[in-house]
Amino acid sequence: MRIQTRIIGAAVLVIVSATILFVVYLLRTERANSRGRLRAVMEENETLLMVVTAGPLYDGNVEQLNIALDSFFANPDMVRIVLTELEGDIRISRTREPAAQMGEMITSRVPIKRGIDDLGEIEVTYSTARLEKSLRASRNRVLIFSGALVLGLSSIIYLAVRGVTRPIGRLTVAARDMADGHLEREIDSRGAEELQILGQSFIRLRDTIREKMADLAARNEQLRISEDRLRTVVENTPVVLFALDQSGRFTLSEGKGLAVLGLQPGQIVGQSAYAIYRDSPAALDGVRRALAGEQFSLVAELAGLTLEIWFSPVRNAAGELLGTIGVGTDITERKRAEAELQTAHALLQGVINATQDLIFVKDTSLTFLACNRAFADCLGRSEEQVVGHRDEEWFEDRQILESFRDSDRKVLAEGRQQYIEEWVTYPDGKRVPLETLKSPFYDDDGKLLGLIGISRDISARQRADQARRESEERLRAAIGVSQIGIFDHDQRSDTVYWSPQQRQIYGWGPNEPVSLQDFLDLVHPEDRESVIASVRRAHDPAGDGIWDVEHRIIRRDGSTRWLKQRAQTFFEGTGPARKPVRTIGAVLDITERMTTEEEQQKLVSIIDSSPDFIGIADLGGQLLYVNSSGRNLVGLDNSEEVRSKHISDFLREQDAVLLETEQLPLIHRSGGWTGELALRNFKTGVTIPVEMNAFMIRERSSGRPIALANISRDITERKRVQAEREGLIGELELRNAELERFTYTVSHDLRSPLITMRGFLGYLEKDALTGNLERIKADIGRIIDATDKMDRLLRELLELSRIGRVMNPPEQVPFEQIAQEAAGLVAGRLQERGIRMVIATGMPVVHGDRVRLVEVVQNLLDNAAKFIGSQAAPLIQIGVRGEERNGKPVFFVRDNGIGIDPPYQEKIFGLFEKLDPKSEGTGIGLALVKRIVEVHGGMIWLESEGLGGGSTFCFTLPRKQSAVSNGG
Amino acid sequence: MRMRGEPLLILLVEDNPDHAELVRRSLAEHRVVNQIRILTDGQSALEYLFRRGAFSDPASSPRPHLVLLDLRLPRVDGLDVLKAIKQDEELHTIPVVVLTTSETERDVSAAYRHYVNSYLVKPIGYEDFNKLMKDLGFYWLGWNTNPYPEQE
């Protein structure tokens, strides 16, 4: 009700205020409007007055002026109007009483002008009385209207408010009730349409709230049930469930596992985990990591137990870390079981690995799952390298692989064990017989997992089997095939049994009776005595009864056979009563063998007496036999020494390598090798050149190589002769070349002076005709020179040709003596040029043609003097070098003259070679020297450091007693 | 054809001074040559042609129009001189005539193998020698068209 009153009061107040304001406004506007209108009239009148009056005033037309003023003065609001001429001649006025004693007077002055001249002035006064009067009347009307308006409006508001507030009141009450929890409160929603909608919304709201509450209650119930269930689980499972807040304090500690730790559920809630776990670094570390937000598990030792604890961070919706939840499980028992299992496994593995058998496991795809060491070893790899792989990665032999796969598939397909015996070639090439047992294996549910195989190398067993078989075969062969005869002699009945072979050997008929006497008669007369003696020995009761002899028989057809007999005599009785009762024996015809041996013996003696080295070695090169000539050649004393040697011991190191790498392989390949080699004598160390024919000895029947043999011939003599011949041929070739060179140069150099002579003779004739005496003289000089030169050339050539052909008998001369003699011959020339000469003392004694050797030194001295140049202190030295060359002393003639450029050092010894065309001489001197030295078996060469460096001619000569080659 | 009046130069390499004199005299008699240069061994011939040593100044070693070469020469053999000339890019166009006492097949074929232009054996006897020199001069320096001198 209060709201209602207030609303109405407020509304009325608003209406009254608005009305008052409206009225005031209206009035004010009205007044302003009336004044405005008045002023507008006044302004209009002023202008009109000026216009209307100006003309008449200027003209002085008073009448006109009066009419004008009257017309203006008709306006009731005008109370006075006065027109005054400037000069004061005309003054017209009108006056009237105002309509009422109210309002005010308003006066305006209007100047009257014509052009720019002021003519006069009109003064007009207005009264507002009339305006005021009409204004007052309208104010009253407004007031009345306003009052009526206020009254009307107020009434309307009152009525309206009364209609609205009644339903709102009811709604308010209902809402208040609902808020107080009285959701059953009904709402009377009569009233305005909007209010009705509002009411209905309230009802819907209430219904929704009711549903939500019911839902919440149901959920709460479920939560309670699940929590109960969880708690039951946690309390009854051997785990520890706990939660920690960020400070590390326990907010939860539940689970049956707590009992093992000696804790009650919830006992440690509120305590710090850092404090409780201070003795377990692992647990402390875990707590720290967990509170850092990590999710993980760890194994910690707590109170003597092994706990595996899972940590998981707890976060709120915003992702902030609130703490951690942990679940701990006691895994002490599990750990122990695991350790036991490992021990057991290791034990098993040890056993599996220790066995020699090959054990392997394959899955159904035939990939290796496991194997033992023995198996892996066979494949030449480690166990880890086997697992995960398959047979085909190692075995290349398709046949073996097929066989493996077949048996594997059979095991897997039929689920039965398989026993296989087969030869297997391992990857390393080894081939062994394997006995393999393959079995399928299953898991607990009976599902086929793969197969287990155990293989055993049965080569030893197979070998034994084979050996037994072979020995049996041999025995059968020996008896059946080979010609062994069997005899049986019963002494008590003195009967003799001969087997068919025995009869054949003896040339005895199949059914012919035979006696001991027959047997003895057949023995070769030369052997009979010893055979009888041996039979007696075998029959002696004191002996062992064994008869073992080789002897000859002469069969009835006259042929001789060699036999080997072996028999055993059996005895009965003791002491003096002991006597032979039976002899059983076998006989073998060894004629062939004996013959072969005889032949072999013959062969050996032939080989042994051969002058060639004949040796036999086994395939490895170890010597078996060397004949006596061979032993002599290499210095071996006996066969024992021979057998201690290897082929390579006979050879020089480089030859032994060749033998190993080239010749032996060649012999193996092609059966033989022939070539020259050098053998070493063990005693003297001297190597002997041999021509060796090495070959392979093969078994006649199979062609299998059994030994190496070689026949080597000492070719020392042949080599020497060959070398000598080659030397002679070489020398001959050298001589030939020399001769060719000789004739060539001779033809050239002998021709030269002839051309000169004939040429200048021609000019001589001409000059004689012209009488040119000077030229005649010069030309004759040239001709004479040319003849001289030719003469010298011929003499020296003759000389040169004599060397080596005509020699004085060689003698022993001290070289110093030769040098002195030569120096004496050239002394004059040396003195002429002021050359000093130094000859060394105590030089070796040489062996040769004294005259020629002097010639050598003389020529060298001449040559040195010729090329001494403009030396200030010319010097020539003759001496001997400290070291020898080719076992001969090296003599030298050294000068300090102009020297010789290296390119010409070889040339200077050539026939007719002259370095300086202007120098005297024929160019034969040094060629001569060279020839003499070489004829004496020496050599000559030049040493010079080039131009200006002087020259040293070095040459070797044989010492005394040494033979002069070709020096006859 | 060569212009008359142009100086013609023969390089004679000859170790025998008498033979050199004979050649010089014969050529002078027939006025086929203005200039003859005589060198007495192979090495100085090479030095002259390759302008080395004493002949390093080109003014002192003008290019010859013909080389007369003896084969047996001291130091460097005539055949080696021939080889050097014929192997040289610049010199190998110069005509080389061997003038020697040797008529062995070995020398002749060796010379031709190394591109000698002509091979002459010194005749014994004045008339022959003189005639040879005359013909030689007329042929090589008269009738023969020499290679045009290369730009130097």
Side-chain angles (χ1 to χ4, degrees):
Chain A
M1 286 306 269
R2 267 191 345 234
I3 290 172
Q4 195 181 351
T5 319
R6 249 186 255 163
I7 292 171
I8 294 167
V12 171
L13 198 66
V14 166
I15 291 164
V16 170
S17 308
T19 310
I20 291 167
L21 284 171
F22 176 65
V23 168
V24 170
Y25 168 72
L26 213 60
L27 292 177
R28 283 183 67 98
T29 325
E30 190 66 14
R31 170 166 288 168
N33 282 352
S34 62
R35 288 201 174 193
R37 273 204 301 277
L38 188 65
R39 204 166 295 276
V41 168
M42 282 167 68
E43 280 171 10
E44 189 185 316
N45 286 348
E46 278 167 13
T47 312
L48 278 171
L49 275 169
M50 194 186 74
V51 170
V52 169
T53 57
L57 192 60
Y58 183 78
D59 295 340
N61 189 342
V62 179
E63 191 184 347
Q64 197 72 40
L65 287 171
N66 278 324
I67 294 165
L69 286 181
D70 284 342
S71 70
F72 277 99
F73 204 60
N75 186 333
D77 291 329
M78 216 176 276
V79 291
R80 203 165 76 96
I81 183 164
V82 179
L83 187 153
T84 315
E85 197 193 8
L86 195 65
E87 294 156 359
D89 291 339
I90 302 167
R91 183 178 165 92
I92 304 162
S93 66
R94 302 288 186 274
T95 308
R96 133 176 353 122
E97 275 306 302
Q101 285 304 313
M102 51 197 285
E104 54 189 315
M105 300 300 174
I106 302 164
T107 302
S108 72
R109 281 191 174 86
V110 182
I112 301 163
K113 292 188 173 184
R114 183 164 181 115
I116 58 164
D117 301 327
D118 275 338
L119 300 177
E121 172 184 87
I122 297 172
E123 189 185 275
V124 183
T125 305
Y126 296 86
S127 165
T128 61
R130 219 172 53 93
L131 274 173
E132 291 282 334
K133 213 166 145 186
S134 69
L135 208 60
R136 203 165 285 168
S138 72
R139 185 190 302 156
N140 290 341
R141 278 201 301 275
V142 166
L143 283 173
I144 292 160
F145 173 74
S146 300
L149 190 70
V150 166
L151 264 173
L153 275 175
S154 298
S155 307
I156 292 163
I157 288 167
Y158 173 73
L159 289 170
V161 166
R162 284 283 293 178
V164 169
T165 52
R166 277 260 300 280
I168 287 179
R170 279 204 293 276
L171 272 177
T172 311
V173 171
R176 196 179 291 146
D177 284 352
M178 284 179 189
D180 288 345
H182 303 290
L183 286 175
E184 71 289 347
R185 180 80 158 78
E186 287 301 328
I187 294 171
D188 178 9
S189 54
R190 282 171 301 167
E193 200 180 341
E194 285 82 5
L195 282 170
Q196 203 171 349
I197 293 166
L198 188 64
Q200 282 161 358
S201 300
F202 264 111
I203 290 165
R204 269 212 308 282
L205 184 66
R206 183 200 60 191
D207 292 345
T208 310
I209 291 171
R210 254 189 201 158
E211 278 170 25
K212 292 280 176 203
M213 279 179 65
D215 189 34
L216 207 62
R219 281 180 184 217
N220 262 338
E221 180 59 18
Q222 276 175 359
L223 210 60
R224 195 186 56 75
I225 291 165
S226 103
E227 193 189 338
D228 278 353
R229 203 180 289 146
L230 195 67
R231 190 177 296 273
T232 317
V233 170
V234 166
E235 278 168 356
N236 291 297
T237 47
V239 297
V240 178
L241 184 70
F242 61 90
L244 298 173
D245 65 12
Q246 269 303 86
S247 69
R249 224 167 271 282
F250 280 100
T251 54
L252 176 75
S253 175
E254 293 288 345
K256 205 180 174 198
L258 282 175
V260 190
L261 294 171
L263 292 174
Q264 293 294 318
Q267 189 187 332
I268 52 170
V269 168
Q271 294 183 34
S272 168
Y274 294 118
I276 289 173
Y277 295 142
R278 65 176 169 272
D279 293 332
S280 171
L284 276 181
D285 183 50
V287 169
R288 261 181 231 113
R289 279 168 65 194
L291 292 178
E294 200 181 330
Q295 184 168 26
F296 65 101
S297 80
L298 61 77
V299 174
E301 299 283 336
L302 281 179
L305 298 173
T306 309
L307 289 183
E308 185 179 41
I309 306 171
W310 264 98
F311 286 96
S312 186
V314 180
R315 297 176 189 278
N316 66 7
E320 291 160 359
L321 202 60
L322 298 180
T324 186
I325 284 179
V327 182
T329 321
D330 178 6
I331 56 163
T332 317
E333 193 61 24
R334 201 175 83 201
K335 279 268 170 197
R336 200 181 55 74
E338 268 174 20
E340 273 175 14
L341 204 64
Q342 264 171 10
T343 313
H345 185 256
L347 206 64
L348 197 64
Q349 194 69 38
V351 170
I352 288 173
N353 274 338
T355 171
Q356 289 299 310
D357 292 346
L358 320 179
I359 302 177
F360 56 91
V361 183
K362 290 177 178 177
D363 66 13
T364 51
S365 75
L366 303 185
T367 303
F368 283 97
L369 290 176
C371 74
N372 70 342
R373 197 164 301 145
F375 183 82
D377 284 349
C378 280
L379 295 174
R381 55 196 68 226
S382 72
E383 291 137 89
E384 290 75 17
Q385 285 171 315
V386 170
V387 172
H389 296 270
R390 293 157 64 95
D391 284 325
E392 47 265 46
E393 294 174 48
W394 308 305
F395 290 97
E396 284 171 5
D397 188 334
R398 297 212 56 80
Q399 218 177 330
I400 290 174
L401 274 176
E402 279 301 315
S403 137
F404 285 170
R405 207 169 309 148
D406 279 358
S407 58
D408 286 349
R409 289 208 179 121
K410 217 173 269 179
V411 170
L412 294 176
E414 298 172 12
R416 282 193 294 119
Q417 285 193 337
Q418 291 283 330
Y419 177 81
I420 308 112
E421 227 182 278
E422 64 196 339
W423 280 90
V424 172
T425 308
Y426 287 134
D428 67 357
K430 199 172 99 185
R431 194 167 156 77
V432 293
L434 279 187
E435 169 193 279
T436 305
L437 185 67
K438 289 182 179 171
S439 322
F441 76 96
Y442 305 92
D443 67 5
D444 291 345
D445 302 330
K447 182 170 166 268
L448 180 66
L449 293 182
L451 61 91
I452 298 173
I454 302 175
S455 300
R456 179 167 295 173
D457 180 349
I458 51 167
S459 43
R461 206 176 73 196
Q462 284 217 343
R463 265 200 304 279
D465 284 354
Q466 196 174 348
R468 200 176 58 235
R469 261 199 311 277
E470 280 172 8
S471 104
E472 274 170 15
E473 272 168 25
R474 263 200 304 278
L475 205 62
R476 258 201 306 278
I479 293 169
V481 182
S482 80
Q483 306 285 308
I484 290 177
I486 306 287
F487 62 88
D488 186 349
H489 176 213
D490 190 333
Q491 270 94 350
R492 286 166 301 187
S493 63
D494 198 21
T495 52
V496 174
Y497 163 78
W498 277 9
S499 74
Q501 273 93 1
Q502 178 96 5
R503 288 170 182 273
Q504 216 171 342
I505 291 167
Y506 275 87
W508 215 253
N511 298 312
E512 241 180 298
V514 66
S515 67
L516 185 64
Q517 195 53 49
D518 291 332
F519 161 75
L520 290 174
D521 288 347
L522 286 167
V523 173
H524 194 285
E526 286 175 23
D527 297 342
R528 195 169 291 150
E529 207 169 312
S530 66
V531 168
I532 289 170
S534 66
V535 168
R536 210 168 280 145
R537 247 195 325 280
H539 288 180
D540 180 1
D544 57 4
I546 288 174
W547 184 54
D548 191 348
V549 291
E550 280 176 19
H551 67 91
R552 284 166 291 177
I553 54 166
I554 301 178
R555 291 202 291 213
R556 286 180 297 185
D557 63 3
S559 63
T560 305
R561 306 301 294 178
W562 269 98
L563 300 184
K564 180 172 173 55
Q565 307 268 8
R566 192 174 161 86
Q568 174 75 61
T569 301
F570 301 95
F571 301 94
E572 267 182 13
T574 51
R578 186 174 166 82
K579 55 181 177 190
V581 291
R582 195 176 181 189
T583 300
I584 301 173
V587 63
L588 188 62
D589 185 336
I590 56 166
T591 314
E592 300 286 328
R593 200 190 82 196
M594 291 310 272
T595 320
T596 315
E597 265 175 23
E598 270 169 25
E599 275 171 10
Q600 210 165 13
Q601 204 55 48
K602 275 182 223 154
L603 218 58
V604 165
S605 55
I606 291 169
I607 288 173
D608 227 34
S609 55
S610 160
D612 290 339
F613 175 109
I614 298 176
I616 298 173
D618 67 15
L619 292 175
Q622 199 65 41
L623 282 190
L624 300 173
Y625 167 81
V626 172
N627 69 346
S628 61
S629 308
R631 290 201 298 272
N632 283 338
L633 190 70
V634 297
L636 290 173
D637 288 331
N638 51 48
S639 316
E640 276 67 51
E641 217 175 328
V642 165
R643 276 190 283 276
S644 70
K645 301 290 181 197
H646 189 265
I647 295 178
S648 55
D649 295 335
F650 290 97
L651 304 172
R652 288 175 300 181
E653 209 166 307
Q654 67 266 35
D655 289 344
V657 172
L658 273 181
L659 178 87
E660 204 62 48
T661 56
E662 286 175 18
Q663 290 145 6
L664 276 183
L666 186 74
I667 293 167
H668 274 276
R669 246 192 346 267
S670 64
W673 174 81
T674 306
E676 285 186 11
L677 260 181
L679 295 184
R680 200 158 55 90
N681 186 298
F682 287 103
K683 284 197 181 123
T684 62
V686 169
T687 54
I688 308 126
V690 295
E691 188 183 70
M692 182 182 282
N693 175 21
F695 53 93
M696 186 79 76
I697 301 177
R698 294 178 189 278
E699 205 177 60
R700 192 169 303 177
S701 53
S702 66
R704 193 168 56 89
I706 49 176
L708 293 167
N710 92 75
I711 301 172
S712 299
R713 180 159 295 171
D714 182 352
I715 53 169
T716 313
E717 184 58 21
R718 200 167 83 193
K719 278 267 172 196
R720 198 187 59 73
V721 171
Q722 195 178 329
E724 203 169 286
R725 198 172 57 219
E726 274 167 11
L728 285 172
I729 290 170
E731 202 173 329
L732 214 58
E733 276 170 354
L734 222 65
R735 285 285 165 83
N736 245 342
E738 204 172 87
L739 198 66
E740 200 180 316
R741 227 168 27 243
F742 183 78
T743 47
Y744 168 73
T745 44
V746 163
S747 70
H748 179 270
D749 283 58
L750 284 179
R751 209 186 170 109
S752 211
L754 279 178
I755 291 166
T756 307
M757 284 185 261
R758 292 286 297 274
F760 283 103
L761 277 171
Y763 279 111
L764 209 55
E765 198 182 348
K766 267 192 153 183
D767 292 341
L769 287 175
T770 55
N772 190 339
L773 284 181
E774 277 306 304
R775 263 229 330 228
I776 291 172
K777 224 182 267 176
D779 290 351
I780 290 174
R782 283 180 197 273
I783 293 165
I784 292 169
D785 279 353
T787 52
D788 281 356
K789 192 175 176 185
M790 201 159 178
D791 177 47
R792 200 162 60 238
L793 207 61
L794 287 170
R795 266 189 290 114
E796 283 179 358
L797 280 174
L798 191 64
E799 184 77 350
L800 192 66
S801 74
R802 285 160 64 93
I803 300 165
R805 211 157 44 75
V806 183
M807 293 276 284
N808 302 306
E811 48 187 308
Q812 318 275 1
V813 204
F815 191 74
E816 194 182 339
Q817 211 173 308
I818 293 170
Q820 292 291 0
E821 209 169 307
L825 291 171
V826 297
R829 206 170 315 167
L830 297 188
Q831 246 167 7
E832 216 171 84
R833 305 194 185 192
I835 300 170
R836 198 160 65 89
M837 157 98 91
V838 178
I839 299 172
T841 53
M843 289 186 284
V845 175
V846 296
H847 179 88
D849 182 336
R850 179 196 181 101
V851 180
R852 292 289 181 203
L853 291 180
V854 170
E855 218 173 319
V856 165
V857 179
Q858 185 194 344
N859 261 299
L860 289 175
L861 289 175
D862 258 342
N863 190 68
K866 210 182 290 176
F867 298 104
I868 202 75
S870 51
Q871 180 58 243
L875 172 71
I876 298 176
Q877 292 164 280
I878 302 175
V880 66
R881 283 266 171 91
E883 75 238 44
E884 300 191 335
R885 189 175 284 198
N886 298 334
K888 297 187 182 87
V890 178
F891 301 97
F892 63 84
V893 175
R894 179 187 298 146
D895 66 64
N896 58 353
I898 57 173
I900 294 171
D901 257 345
Y904 313 121
Q905 289 179 7
E906 258 311 298
K907 252 184 132 176
I908 55 160
F909 294 107
L911 194 57
F912 304 114
E913 287 286 359
K914 292 197 293 180
L915 293 189
D916 181 4
K918 286 185 271 303
S919 75
E920 53 201 275
T922 53
I924 291 180
L926 287 177
L928 197 75
V929 165
K930 185 170 190 249
R931 184 100 181 86
I932 296 170
V933 168
E934 280 173 359
V935 159
H936 278 83
M939 55 191 287
I940 183 163
W941 66 96
L942 171 70
E943 290 174 3
S944 175
E945 284 166 19
L947 281 177
S951 311
T952 305
F953 285 88
C954 300
F955 53 96
T956 60
L957 288 174
R959 278 176 205 280
K960 58 175 177 178
Q961 293 302 342
S962 167
V964 175
S965 114
N966 202 25
Chain B
M1 205 58 158
R2 184 164 299 283
M3 274 164 62
R4 289 277 168 209
E6 194 183 331
L8 298 170
L9 173 63
I10 288 183
L11 180 67
L12 172 63
V13 190
E14 171 62 73
D15 67 323
N16 188 321
D18 297 335
H19 292 189
E21 175 63 14
L22 286 175
V23 172
R24 196 192 60 73
R25 247 188 234 182
S26 305
L27 289 175
E29 231 164 73
H30 300 292
R31 306 190 182 287
V32 286
V33 70
N34 305 50
Q35 225 183 328
I36 179 163
R37 208 44 208 269
I38 302 171
L39 296 170
T40 55
D41 66 273
Q43 186 165 334
S44 46
L46 289 179
E47 281 176 4
Y48 178 97
L49 288 165
F50 289 95
R51 286 168 177 163
R52 285 192 307 247
F55 302 101
S56 41
D57 179 11
S60 71
S61 52
R63 287 272 173 267
H65 298 102
L66 181 69
V67 175
L68 277 179
L69 187 64
D70 191 3
L71 281 186
R72 284 188 53 85
L73 292 169
R75 302 196 325 151
V76 177
D77 197 59
L79 202 62
D80 291 332
V81 175
L82 173 66
K83 271 190 239 172
I85 292 172
K86 290 304 179 187
Q87 278 167 13
D88 186 74
E89 193 61 31
E90 194 187 326
L91 300 175
H92 75 278
T93 55
I94 300 175
V96 178
V97 173
V98 161
L99 181 62
T100 182
T101 50
S102 166
E103 50 188 331
T104 59
E105 191 196 334
R106 193 177 56 179
D107 282 341
V108 176
S109 55
Y112 278 109
R113 215 169 25 249
H114 291 103
Y115 314 108
V116 77
N117 298 78
S118 180
Y119 192 102
L120 304 173
V121 179
K122 292 173 188 167
I124 297 174
Y126 167 76
E127 294 300 331
D128 290 345
F129 198 97
N130 217 5
K131 183 162 187 334
L132 174 69
M133 284 302 119
K134 181 185 160 197
D135 291 346
L136 173 92
F138 279 131
Y139 178 80
W140 282 108
L141 304 172
W143 293 116
N144 187 47
T145 303
N146 277 13
Y148 289 94
E150 309 211 355
Q151 292 301 310
E152 284 184 32

